[in-house]
Amino acid sequence: MEWENRTFSPDFILMGIFSHTPTHSFLFSLVLGIFTVALLANTLMVLLIYLDTRLHTPMYFLLSQLSLMDLMLICTTVPKMACNYLSGRKSISVAGCEAQIFFYASLFGAECFLLAVMAYDRYVAICYPLQYPNLMNQKICGLLVASSWILGCLDGIVDVAATLSFSYCGSREIAQFFCDVSALLSLSCTDTSTFETFVFICCVLMLLFPLLLIIISYTHVIVAVIRMSSGEGRHKAFTTCTSHLIVVGMYYGAAMFIYMRPTSNRSPTQDKMVSSFYTILTPMLNPLIYSFRNKDAAKAFSKVLGKGKSRE
């Protein structure tokens, strides 16, 4: 009973990133605008890829999964943050906190692996175009995507199970706008050093292993593109790969800054700002980067708009 009372009875307090000053109110409105754009853009991207048969290819299927992950990620953090800010309440239940941890950690891990799968897809498409239909057929593509989701979910389950096993006493104020594992562990009155070391090792593996695959894949891709005789083919390959590399740079850069720094160098303010970048801003930028730099996606969007106007 003592463990249950100490762990589950009181709610946690999310300190958030905004106060009620005029400047912060404007920034909060800006975040709501970004959230709306991300929600619409990612939903539209998933629907376009589903509805347009020309986009029923491995590359666009992977892109639809990325948009789905971004959609779920931003819906995991922003609605609760907005609700707390508007209501003046900062509390979150233990169940709500663990749900945030599970979805956040699962989506974070799944996206790491999915970006590596997307790099492999481009590597096969550009370096082995004749074997591409066999090497990236529907079954293989589905297995790679399912593996990304499963590995991500395993990460989420481990994080939830571990944080539930710890006792929390004293201050229950989480120095974040969502329930983050590292911020939550700092509130525990039990020794978490072993688990923190385990989390650090997992983060290193989940970040560096996929990143290594991405670097190897794109090294081969760049060499193959340079050797292309067709200027149009070279331009198309560079356009597609550049979009992916921009997304990889934004995602891995922010994630490595958060999770691969020593604990002694951590600053709550820096963590909040960088976390808001890849949990709020990146989900909005990803579909915009891919759609603006991709003619097929733009054509599909125009086709849908054209059908809508013709029906009117």
Side-chain angles (χ1 to χ4, degrees), residues 159-179:
D159 286 345
V160 169
T163 51
L164 279 174
S165 69
F166 297 130
S167 297
Y168 302 95
C169 48
S171 173
R172 301 180 72 82
E173 295 181 349
I174 300 174
Q176 264 289 11
F177 60 95
F178 64 97
C179 281

Side-chain angles (χ1 to χ4, degrees), residues 215-229:
I215 291 171
I216 292 172
S217 296
Y218 274 105
T219 300
H220 288 285
V221 166
I222 290 170
V223 171
V225 169
I226 291 173
R227 291 176 177 173
M228 284 183 178
S229 57

